[in-house]
């Protein structure tokens, strides 16, 4: 893969909650069209990385660059306009969907388009219906989240993120809140996006999916990157004892 354009560059990132160091001096890059898989045990700092990139958490130290714009440099944040510009270029799909329960499916997807991007209602509507068709939910536009299965709700949340036309899409364990039989439909949507060369970072506990879909994998534990590299090598032939121990629990 031609690694010409860095979409995300993380340098010496650290994050502490009180006296607890959750992320400890980690660095990595994500290139245009690449899928980075992040795996590791609960509490290893995987989701916190995504929350730092999306500005849901402030960093304790280090630098983050998104689409060539510096979000934070040596722990010092850019101006508010730059922060807003960067926020619009990054989409996040949450573990627990985070849909507005009192909004219809259609309004969940159109609302931010209208109020954040300034699209007309007609433009936002058209985009939303296109994306609902893409994720196989055309018939659910007027339904409310409570009327959908977990898998359908997660597909709506993916459509909502895509509606903002992000440069990179981040997934925070997108299948962990789902019954096993619903997991496949979400992984299929992500695989379709991968085929379209959407730049993505996927925090996941689905090892076979991470191996077969990612271009690059990071294994984290205790807030540090223990091992990284080619997905086939990491999943099938890990070199570090901690990675081996973690992967021994999965039949990937």
């Amino acid at each position: 893969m031609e690694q010409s354009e860095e979409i995300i560059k993380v340098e010496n990132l650290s994050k502490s909650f009180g006296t607890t160091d959750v992320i400890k001096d980690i660095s990595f890059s994500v290139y245009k069209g690449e899928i980075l898989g992040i795996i590791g045990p609960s509490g290893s700092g995987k989701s916190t990385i995504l929350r730092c990139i999306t500005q849901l958490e402030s960093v304790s130290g280090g630098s983050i660059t998104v689409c060539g714009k510096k979000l934070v440099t040596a722990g010092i944040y850019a101006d508010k306009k730059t922060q807003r510009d960067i926020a619009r270029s990054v989409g996040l799909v949450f573990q627990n969907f985070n849909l507005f329960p009192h909004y219809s499916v259609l309004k969940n997807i159109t609302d931010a388009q209208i109020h954040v991007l300034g699209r007309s209602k007609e433009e936002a509507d058209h985009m939303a219906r296109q994306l609902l068709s893409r994720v196989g939910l055309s018939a659910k536009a007027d339904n409310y989240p409570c009327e959908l299965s977990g898998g359908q709700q997660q597909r709506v949340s993916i459509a909502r993120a895509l509606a903002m036309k992000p440069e990179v899409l981040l997934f925070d364990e997108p299948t962990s809140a789902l019954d096993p039989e619903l997991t496949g439909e979400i992984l299929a949507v992500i695989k379709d996006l991968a085929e379209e060369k959407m730049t993505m970072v996927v925090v996941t506990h689905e090892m076979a999916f991470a191996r077969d879909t990612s271009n690059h994998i990071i294994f984290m534990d205790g807030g540090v990157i223990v091992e990284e590299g080619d997905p086939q090598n990491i999943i099938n032939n890990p070199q570090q004892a901690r990675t081996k121990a973690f992967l021994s629990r999965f039949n990937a």
Side-chain angles (χ1 to χ4, degrees):
M1 160 170 282
E2 186 179 325
Q3 294 188 340
S4 55
E5 186 181 349
E6 273 183 320
I7 299 296
I8 295 174
K9 185 176 181 65
V10 171
E11 301 171 276
N12 309 114
L13 182 69
S14 61
K15 171 64 182 174
S16 302
F17 293 105
T19 58
T20 304
D21 296 327
V22 181
I23 300 174
K24 306 170 187 175
D25 193 32
I26 68 167
S27 301
F28 64 88
S29 293
V30 183
Y31 295 89
K32 188 173 180 64
E34 181 182 45
I35 298 146
L36 172 66
I38 305 180
I39 62 172
S42 296
S44 60
K46 307 183 302 296
S47 296
T48 304
I49 291 173
L50 302 190
R51 293 179 66 83
C52 287
I53 293 170
T54 53
Q55 305 175 51
L56 294 174
E57 298 285 358
S58 58
V59 310
S60 302
S63 304
I64 299 173
T65 305
V66 180
C67 298
K69 295 179 179 177
K70 290 277 190 183
L71 171 64
V72 56
T73 306
I76 307 299
Y77 275 85
D79 60 82
K80 293 295 184 185
K81 181 184 183 303
T82 302
Q83 291 182 42
R84 285 195 301 271
D85 289 346
I86 289 172
R88 291 181 186 184
S89 65
V90 180
L92 176 61
V93 177
F94 294 90
Q95 185 173 326
N96 292 308
F97 326 135
N98 279 33
L99 298 174
F100 293 111
H102 55 296
Y103 285 0
S104 69
V105 164
L106 192 68
K107 187 168 170 59
N108 262 287
I109 301 172
T110 59
D111 201 56
Q113 293 185 65
I114 294 166
H115 294 107
V116 177
L117 298 184
R119 289 181 186 149
S120 69
K121 186 178 185 305
E122 293 71 24
E123 284 178 303
D125 238 59
H126 180 67
M127 171 68 77
R129 291 183 189 279
Q130 276 190 322
L131 289 166
L132 284 172
S133 174
R134 182 173 174 179
V135 298
L137 292 174
S138 293
K140 301 294 185 181
D142 297 324
N143 288 81
Y144 285 81
C146 65
E147 300 173 305
L148 306 180
S149 71
Q152 289 171 332
Q153 289 186 60
Q154 191 60 295
R155 280 187 276 159
V156 171
S157 92
I158 293 171
R160 179 180 61 182
L162 289 170
M164 304 300 284
K165 291 285 187 182
E167 291 291 325
V168 57
L169 201 50
L170 312 182
F171 292 86
D172 186 9
E173 304 221 21
T175 61
S176 66
L178 302 177
D179 294 332
E181 65 267 23
L182 299 177
T183 293
E185 64 189 62
I186 301 307
L187 299 184
V189 172
I190 299 173
K191 284 178 180 174
D192 285 345
L193 293 171
E195 288 174 9
E196 295 170 15
K197 302 299 182 188
M198 180 82 196
T199 309
M200 294 184 278
V201 179
V202 185
V203 170
T204 184
H205 59 276
E206 300 288 339
M207 295 303 123
F209 172 76
R211 178 193 61 203
D212 298 338
T213 309
S214 305
N215 303 105
H216 191 83
I217 277 188
I218 286 172
F219 169 68
M220 288 191 67
D221 189 31
V224 300
I225 295 173
V226 176
E227 192 166 353
E228 65 176 311
D230 177 77
Q232 298 290 337
N233 290 341
I234 298 292
I235 302 291
N236 295 336
N237 188 31
Q239 299 302 301
Q240 301 298 319
R242 183 66 192 91
T243 319
K244 290 177 182 176
F246 174 75
L247 290 170
S248 68
R249 297 182 293 127
F250 297 94
N251 295 316

